[in-house]
Amino acid sequence: MSETVLHLINVLGILIVVLSIAASLPWVERRLLGYLQDRYGPNRVGPFGVLQTVADAIKLFTKEDWIPPFADKPVFIIAPTVIMTTILTSFAVVPFSPGIGVIDLNIGLLFFLAMSSLGVYSVMLAGWSANNKYSLLGALRAAAQMLSYEVFMGLSLMGVVIISGTFNLRNIVLAQKNMWFCIPQIIGLIVFIIAALAETRRLPFDLTEAESELVAGYHIEYSGMKFGMFYIGEYVGVTLISSMIVTLFFGGWQGPFLPPIVWFIIKTFFFIGLFITLRASLPRPRFDQLMSYGWKVMLPLALLNLLVTGGIVLATGS
Amino acid sequence: MEDKPGISQELQARFGEAVLAQQLTRDDVPTFWIAKDRISDVLRYLKSDVEKPFRMLYDLTAIDERVRANRQNQPESDYTLVYILRSFDRNADIRLKVPLLGESPAISSITSIWPSANWYECEVWDMFGVSFDGHPHLRRILMPPSWEGHPLRKDHPARATEMGRYELPVEKEKKGVESLQFRPEDWGMQRQSEDADFMFLNVGPQHPGTHGVFRIVLQLFGEEIIDAVPDIGYHHRGAEKMGERQSWHTYIPYTDRVDYLGGVMNNLPYVMAVEKLAGIEVPDRVKVIRIMMSELFRIISHLVFYGTYAQDLGQLSPVLYMFTDRERAFEIVEAVTGARMHPSWFRIGGVKEDLPDGWDQKMMDFVNYMYPRLKEYDSLVMQNRIFQARTKGIGQYTTEEAIEWGVTGPGLRATGCAWDYRKQRPYSGYDQFDFDIPTGSRGDCYDRAVVHVGEMRQSLRIIEQCVKEMPPGPYKANHPRTTPPLKERTMHDIETLITHFLNVSWGPVIPPGEAAATVEGTKGNNTYYLVSDGNTVSYRTRIRTPSFPHLQMIPLISRGMMIPDLLAILGSIDFVLADVDR
C-alpha cells in the first residue's frame, strides 16, 4: 500500500515539477535573451516579471479556440497533444536521483529514442492538417530534418552503451562513477547535442517555423491553447534533452557535497542556458545545407566514434 | 560633360529631321526632342552603336503638358515622354523627349531594347494613360487594378474631397477582391510541367520577410523557385501628385517619407533641384552641414539594413544591438534638428537652423563609438560561417546585368564597378572630402553586405572630416528665394520685408524651367526631376528612386534558388517600399 502511494507521489511530483519548470522557461529564456541583447525582457508582471508565464497562460486559455474551416479537423486537434504526450512519456525513464524516477526500463535509452521519433508526427500532422501552404512547407522540412537527424542521434549514443554495457539509464549513470562519459565520448557528446538541438527544432535548427521565411511554419494556423501545447512542448523538449545530456554524459545526479537531485537540476539548467545562448547568437542555415551537414559530416562522425569506441573496448577487453 | 556638343552633332548627323529640337535646361543635361516614330531607333543607337554608349535606362517618365504655359521653343505636345539614359564611359546623362498628341496616345514599347523599361512603361500607362505597343503585359502597377482614370493627368483630382462620395457596393468589393487573385496564365506561367504540379505561394503583402507591404508570388517546385512575380503599389501615396499641390517649400516634408530610413538624405536632391531652378548658390557651411547630416543618415539607414538582414537569416541579436546604435545617432539628429526619423531639415537655399552648441563633441563621440562597434559586428555577422554559407553565391548578377536593369548604389558596387555618384559627379562639395568607394567582386548577397558595411566606415570618415573642417559662415544663402529667408534685415527695409512676407505666405515663385538633381542616396541614385511653370508650386515632380528598378530585378536573380535564398536576396537589396511606390 505505502509503496503504491510512494510511486504515485513520485510520478505526480515529477510531472508537476517538470511541467512547472517548462512553463517557467519562457520567462527564463526571454529574460536571458533580453540580458544578452541589451534590453530588459518581460519585467512587469510580478517581481522581475516572473508571473509573465501566468499571464501568458491565462491569455492562451481564454482565447477563442479557433479551427480553420479548411483544416482537417480531427488531425488538427490531435497533433498538438502528440508532442506533449511523447515528450512527457520520455521523462518516465529519466533517473533524476537514486530515489526519484518513474520506471527503470532495461531498454530506457531505446524508449527515449522511440518517443522522440514519435514526436515528429506531431509536427508533420499539424503542418499537413492545417491545409496551409506555409505550414505544409514547414511540415516537409520537419519530416526531412527530424528523420535524418534521428539516425545519428541514436548512433551517437551507442558509444555510451558500449562503454557502460547497458541500455538502462540508471545503470549508465552508475557507470560514470569514476569518469563522466563526456570525456571518452566527447565526439558522441557533440554529435548528440547538435542532433538534440535539431530534435527540439530551436534556432539554428528552427527551419520548420523559420519566422522570416515561413512566418510560423507548421503551427501557423494554431491559436489558443493548441498553440500553447506546441509552445510549452518546445520547452518541455528542451528540459528533456538537457536532462538526457546530463544523464548520459555528465554523470547524472552524481557530484560532491550537495544532494543528488540538486546536482541534477544544476547540471540540467546549465544546458538549458546553453541552448538559450545558442539561440541568441546563431543564424539559420538553409534547408539543403542542414541536410548535407547531417548526412555528410555528422553521420560519418557518429559512425567513426562508434567504430573507435568499439575497437578500444574490444582491445582493452573491459 | 565636355562632349555635350559632340552627342548633339552625332544625333543630328545620324537622324537629321527626327531630332526635332534641343532644349536648354537648368541642369546641363543635354535634352533633345525626338520624333515619335524614330525614338526606338535613336535609343537603340545610343545604347549600342554610338561610341561610348549610354548603357543604362536611368529613368522613363512623362509630363502632362496640356495646361503648361511656359514652353517656348518646344514642339507641340499633350503628353511628353521623357527617357533619361546614362553612360558610364562618358560619365554623362542624356535626356530624350518625345511629344505625343491626343487624348489616349500610344507609342511603341522599348522593352525589347531595355528589359527594365517594363515597369517604367507600366507606370507611365498607369499614371498618364499612354499605352505602349508591344509591351509584354501592360497593366496598372501602382494603382489598384480597378482604379478609374490616370492620376498624374492634370484633370485627375488630387484629393479625395474632390472626387465625390466613395461607395463600395458588394459588386464592386467582389470585383476588387477578384482582381487580386493571382492567375499564372496572365504571366505566361504554367500550372504544371510534364511531371509536376507547381505550387504558387503568395508571399506578402503581409509577411515578416518582405520588409513592408510588398507582395511576391512564387512559382515553386518543392522549395525551388521556378519563377517569381513581384507585385508593388501597396505603399503608393501619390508623392509625385502631391508635388503639384504643395508649395515648393511645403513639399520638403514629403520627400523625407519617400525613403523613410534616409531622413534628410531625401531632402538633398529636392532642394538642390529647386536651387538649380532658382539660381541659388548655397554657402560652404550649408554644404558641409548637409553632407554631414546626410552621411549620418546613411549610417542610420545602413544599420537598419545590417540588422534586419541578419534577422532575415535567422540571427536574432544583431538587429537589437544595431537599433541601439541607431538610437545614439538619432540622439544627435534630435539635438541638431529637433526631430528623429523625418527631420525635414534642409531648406531651399540652406538648412533650417545653425548647428547647436556642442554638436561637434556629440558627433565625435558617436564616430569614436561606432568604429569598434562595426568591428565587433564583423565578427558577429560577416565572419559567421552560417551567414556566409547563406549569402555567398546567392542572388548573383554581373556589372553588365546591373547596368542593363538600372541598378545603382551598393547593388552596382557589389559587382565590382566602383561607380559612386559622390565621386563621379561631386555635388554639394563632396570633391573636398577624402573617402574610398567600397566594392565587392561577385555581386552576390554577401558582397552587397560587404559594400554596405564598408560604406558605414566611409561615412564615419566623412563625418570626422566635416567636424574638423566645418567652415564658418551663414547657414542660409542670402538670396530672395531662400525659404524662409534670413530675417535679420526684415524689419529694416521694405524690400526685404515684402520678400519675406511673400516667401512665407505664398511660398517662393520659382522661374520657369526644368532641372534634375541626383544624389547617391542610401539605397542607390535618387533623382528629383522638377518642371517649373513659374508658379508657387511645381508643375511636375518626378522622383526617380533606386528601389524601383532593384525590385524589378528580383525574378531574374531568384530563379532556381530556394525560398530561404529569396529572403536573403530581399534582405540584401535593401529596399523600402515607400521608396518603390512613392
mmCIF file of all heavy atoms in Angstrom, chain B residues 414-435:
data_model
loop_
_atom_site.group_PDB
_atom_site.id
_atom_site.type_symbol
_atom_site.label_atom_id
_atom_site.label_comp_id
_atom_site.label_asym_id
_atom_site.label_seq_id
_atom_site.Cartn_x
_atom_site.Cartn_y
_atom_site.Cartn_z
ATOM 1 N N ALA B 414 28.655 46.309 -55.604
ATOM 2 C CA ALA B 414 28.955 44.937 -55.172
ATOM 3 C C ALA B 414 29.430 44.078 -56.345
ATOM 4 O O ALA B 414 30.069 43.051 -56.145
ATOM 5 C CB ALA B 414 27.720 44.308 -54.535
ATOM 6 N N THR B 415 29.133 44.507 -57.567
ATOM 7 C CA THR B 415 29.577 43.723 -58.717
ATOM 8 C C THR B 415 31.006 44.078 -59.119
ATOM 9 O O THR B 415 31.524 43.547 -60.089
ATOM 10 C CB THR B 415 28.668 43.970 -59.934
ATOM 11 O OG1 THR B 415 28.806 45.344 -60.320
ATOM 12 C CG2 THR B 415 27.228 43.677 -59.620
ATOM 13 N N GLY B 416 31.623 45.015 -58.404
ATOM 14 C CA GLY B 416 32.996 45.373 -58.695
ATOM 15 C C GLY B 416 33.126 46.666 -59.473
ATOM 16 O O GLY B 416 34.216 47.097 -59.819
ATOM 17 N N CYS B 417 32.004 47.304 -59.770
ATOM 18 C CA CYS B 417 32.020 48.563 -60.511
ATOM 19 C C CYS B 417 32.102 49.715 -59.509
ATOM 20 O O CYS B 417 31.148 49.974 -58.790
ATOM 21 C CB CYS B 417 30.745 48.667 -61.357
ATOM 22 S SG CYS B 417 30.560 50.215 -62.203
ATOM 23 N N ALA B 418 33.256 50.374 -59.454
ATOM 24 C CA ALA B 418 33.443 51.420 -58.432
ATOM 25 C C ALA B 418 32.827 52.723 -58.900
ATOM 26 O O ALA B 418 33.521 53.694 -59.164
ATOM 27 C CB ALA B 418 34.924 51.587 -58.128
ATOM 28 N N TRP B 419 31.536 52.744 -59.046
ATOM 29 C CA TRP B 419 30.859 53.936 -59.543
ATOM 30 C C TRP B 419 29.989 54.525 -58.451
ATOM 31 O O TRP B 419 28.954 53.979 -58.096
ATOM 32 C CB TRP B 419 30.009 53.580 -60.772
ATOM 33 C CG TRP B 419 29.787 54.753 -61.679
ATOM 34 C CD1 TRP B 419 30.555 55.120 -62.735
ATOM 35 C CD2 TRP B 419 28.743 55.719 -61.608
ATOM 36 N NE1 TRP B 419 30.053 56.251 -63.316
ATOM 37 C CE2 TRP B 419 28.949 56.647 -62.650
ATOM 38 C CE3 TRP B 419 27.658 55.909 -60.750
ATOM 39 C CZ2 TRP B 419 28.109 57.726 -62.868
ATOM 40 C CZ3 TRP B 419 26.813 56.991 -60.966
ATOM 41 C CH2 TRP B 419 27.045 57.883 -62.030
ATOM 42 N N ASP B 420 30.465 55.616 -57.890
ATOM 43 C CA ASP B 420 29.749 56.283 -56.813
ATOM 44 C C ASP B 420 29.458 57.699 -57.278
ATOM 45 O O ASP B 420 30.375 58.420 -57.673
ATOM 46 C CB ASP B 420 30.610 56.290 -55.540
ATOM 47 C CG ASP B 420 29.837 56.771 -54.334
ATOM 48 O OD1 ASP B 420 29.169 57.810 -54.462
ATOM 49 O OD2 ASP B 420 29.889 56.115 -53.283
ATOM 50 N N TYR B 421 28.193 58.089 -57.247
ATOM 51 C CA TYR B 421 27.819 59.416 -57.744
ATOM 52 C C TYR B 421 28.574 60.524 -57.020
ATOM 53 O O TYR B 421 28.915 61.537 -57.602
ATOM 54 C CB TYR B 421 26.304 59.608 -57.584
ATOM 55 C CG TYR B 421 25.710 60.597 -58.552
ATOM 56 C CD1 TYR B 421 25.279 60.186 -59.795
ATOM 57 C CD2 TYR B 421 25.602 61.945 -58.232
ATOM 58 C CE1 TYR B 421 24.745 61.081 -60.702
ATOM 59 C CE2 TYR B 421 25.072 62.846 -59.134
ATOM 60 C CZ TYR B 421 24.640 62.415 -60.368
ATOM 61 O OH TYR B 421 24.122 63.310 -61.268
ATOM 62 N N ARG B 422 28.868 60.302 -55.746
ATOM 63 C CA ARG B 422 29.576 61.322 -54.969
ATOM 64 C C ARG B 422 30.969 61.564 -55.521
ATOM 65 O O ARG B 422 31.513 62.653 -55.411
ATOM 66 C CB ARG B 422 29.679 60.894 -53.507
ATOM 67 C CG ARG B 422 28.352 60.820 -52.795
ATOM 68 C CD ARG B 422 28.516 60.218 -51.425
ATOM 69 N NE ARG B 422 28.846 58.792 -51.498
ATOM 70 C CZ ARG B 422 29.122 58.050 -50.448
ATOM 71 N NH1 ARG B 422 29.147 58.584 -49.249
ATOM 72 N NH2 ARG B 422 29.401 56.779 -50.591
ATOM 73 N N LYS B 423 31.585 60.488 -56.076
ATOM 74 C CA LYS B 423 32.934 60.633 -56.633
ATOM 75 C C LYS B 423 32.884 61.070 -58.090
ATOM 76 O O LYS B 423 33.674 61.888 -58.523
ATOM 77 C CB LYS B 423 33.650 59.275 -56.568
ATOM 78 C CG LYS B 423 34.301 58.991 -55.233
ATOM 79 C CD LYS B 423 35.721 59.498 -55.205
ATOM 80 C CE LYS B 423 36.417 58.974 -53.956
ATOM 81 N NZ LYS B 423 37.022 60.000 -53.151
ATOM 82 N N GLN B 424 31.955 60.464 -58.845
ATOM 83 C CA GLN B 424 31.944 60.694 -60.283
ATOM 84 C C GLN B 424 31.456 62.094 -60.626
ATOM 85 O O GLN B 424 31.997 62.734 -61.511
ATOM 86 C CB GLN B 424 31.055 59.654 -60.982
ATOM 87 C CG GLN B 424 31.491 58.226 -60.747
ATOM 88 C CD GLN B 424 32.845 57.944 -61.339
ATOM 89 O OE1 GLN B 424 33.183 58.494 -62.376
ATOM 90 N NE2 GLN B 424 33.641 57.113 -60.699
ATOM 91 N N ARG B 425 30.394 62.523 -59.973
ATOM 92 C CA ARG B 425 29.882 63.866 -60.252
ATOM 93 C C ARG B 425 29.619 64.555 -58.926
ATOM 94 O O ARG B 425 28.475 64.648 -58.483
ATOM 95 C CB ARG B 425 28.585 63.783 -61.047
ATOM 96 C CG ARG B 425 28.732 62.964 -62.310
ATOM 97 C CD ARG B 425 27.464 62.980 -63.082
ATOM 98 N NE ARG B 425 27.415 61.821 -63.970
ATOM 99 C CZ ARG B 425 26.328 61.435 -64.604
ATOM 100 N NH1 ARG B 425 25.207 62.097 -64.443
ATOM 101 N NH2 ARG B 425 26.357 60.377 -65.381
ATOM 102 N N PRO B 426 30.681 65.002 -58.269
ATOM 103 C CA PRO B 426 30.531 65.512 -56.902
ATOM 104 C C PRO B 426 29.501 66.639 -56.824
ATOM 105 O O PRO B 426 29.529 67.553 -57.633
ATOM 106 C CB PRO B 426 31.932 66.035 -56.576
ATOM 107 C CG PRO B 426 32.828 65.382 -57.552
ATOM 108 C CD PRO B 426 32.028 65.127 -58.777
ATOM 109 N N TYR B 427 28.608 66.518 -55.905
ATOM 110 C CA TYR B 427 27.623 67.563 -55.665
ATOM 111 C C TYR B 427 27.807 68.046 -54.239
ATOM 112 O O TYR B 427 28.402 67.351 -53.415
ATOM 113 C CB TYR B 427 26.206 67.017 -55.866
ATOM 114 C CG TYR B 427 25.919 65.765 -55.053
ATOM 115 C CD1 TYR B 427 25.390 65.850 -53.774
ATOM 116 C CD2 TYR B 427 26.210 64.504 -55.556
ATOM 117 C CE1 TYR B 427 25.136 64.712 -53.033
ATOM 118 C CE2 TYR B 427 25.961 63.368 -54.813
ATOM 119 C CZ TYR B 427 25.430 63.480 -53.554
ATOM 120 O OH TYR B 427 25.193 62.364 -52.810
ATOM 121 N N SER B 428 27.315 69.230 -53.961
ATOM 122 C CA SER B 428 27.330 69.769 -52.604
ATOM 123 C C SER B 428 28.728 69.732 -51.972
ATOM 124 O O SER B 428 28.865 69.712 -50.764
ATOM 125 C CB SER B 428 26.340 68.990 -51.724
ATOM 126 O OG SER B 428 26.115 69.682 -50.525
ATOM 127 N N GLY B 429 29.763 69.699 -52.797
ATOM 128 C CA GLY B 429 31.125 69.772 -52.262
ATOM 129 C C GLY B 429 31.734 68.459 -51.828
ATOM 130 O O GLY B 429 32.658 68.438 -51.014
ATOM 131 N N TYR B 430 31.250 67.333 -52.361
ATOM 132 C CA TYR B 430 31.833 66.041 -51.986
ATOM 133 C C TYR B 430 33.274 65.898 -52.477
ATOM 134 O O TYR B 430 34.024 65.078 -51.965
ATOM 135 C CB TYR B 430 30.989 64.879 -52.529
ATOM 136 C CG TYR B 430 29.988 64.351 -51.538
ATOM 137 C CD1 TYR B 430 28.628 64.540 -51.732
ATOM 138 C CD2 TYR B 430 30.413 63.664 -50.407
ATOM 139 C CE1 TYR B 430 27.707 64.066 -50.813
ATOM 140 C CE2 TYR B 430 29.497 63.183 -49.492
ATOM 141 C CZ TYR B 430 28.142 63.394 -49.704
ATOM 142 O OH TYR B 430 27.245 62.918 -48.789
ATOM 143 N N ASP B 431 33.639 66.700 -53.505
ATOM 144 C CA ASP B 431 35.004 66.588 -54.020
ATOM 145 C C ASP B 431 36.030 67.047 -52.997
ATOM 146 O O ASP B 431 37.214 66.756 -53.133
ATOM 147 C CB ASP B 431 35.129 67.397 -55.319
ATOM 148 C CG ASP B 431 34.468 68.758 -55.212
ATOM 149 O OD1 ASP B 431 33.659 68.938 -54.281
ATOM 150 O OD2 ASP B 431 34.756 69.642 -56.024
ATOM 151 N N GLN B 432 35.596 67.767 -51.963
ATOM 152 C CA GLN B 432 36.526 68.239 -50.947
ATOM 153 C C GLN B 432 36.848 67.163 -49.913
ATOM 154 O O GLN B 432 37.675 67.372 -49.042
ATOM 155 C CB GLN B 432 35.928 69.446 -50.197
ATOM 156 C CG GLN B 432 35.467 70.573 -51.086
ATOM 157 C CD GLN B 432 36.635 71.243 -51.780
ATOM 158 O OE1 GLN B 432 37.692 71.426 -51.182
ATOM 159 N NE2 GLN B 432 36.469 71.566 -53.062
ATOM 160 N N PHE B 433 36.171 66.039 -50.000
ATOM 161 C CA PHE B 433 36.318 65.038 -48.944
ATOM 162 C C PHE B 433 37.140 63.857 -49.413
ATOM 163 O O PHE B 433 37.201 63.544 -50.596
ATOM 164 C CB PHE B 433 34.946 64.560 -48.464
ATOM 165 C CG PHE B 433 34.215 65.599 -47.692
ATOM 166 C CD1 PHE B 433 33.411 66.512 -48.343
ATOM 167 C CD2 PHE B 433 34.348 65.681 -46.315
ATOM 168 C CE1 PHE B 433 32.756 67.491 -47.634
ATOM 169 C CE2 PHE B 433 33.689 66.655 -45.605
ATOM 170 C CZ PHE B 433 32.885 67.560 -46.266
ATOM 171 N N ASP B 434 37.723 63.221 -48.437
ATOM 172 C CA ASP B 434 38.618 62.117 -48.691
ATOM 173 C C ASP B 434 37.902 60.839 -48.248
ATOM 174 O O ASP B 434 37.687 60.638 -47.053
ATOM 175 C CB ASP B 434 39.887 62.355 -47.856
ATOM 176 C CG ASP B 434 40.946 61.350 -48.195
ATOM 177 O OD1 ASP B 434 40.872 60.788 -49.298
ATOM 178 O OD2 ASP B 434 41.829 61.129 -47.342
ATOM 179 N N PHE B 435 37.482 60.035 -49.215
ATOM 180 C CA PHE B 435 36.856 58.761 -48.842
ATOM 181 C C PHE B 435 37.010 57.765 -49.980
ATOM 182 O O PHE B 435 37.255 58.134 -51.115
ATOM 183 C CB PHE B 435 35.371 58.955 -48.485
ATOM 184 C CG PHE B 435 34.518 59.445 -49.607
ATOM 185 C CD1 PHE B 435 33.752 58.563 -50.366
ATOM 186 C CD2 PHE B 435 34.470 60.789 -49.936
ATOM 187 C CE1 PHE B 435 32.965 59.011 -51.413
ATOM 188 C CE2 PHE B 435 33.681 61.246 -50.979
ATOM 189 C CZ PHE B 435 32.934 60.364 -51.718
#
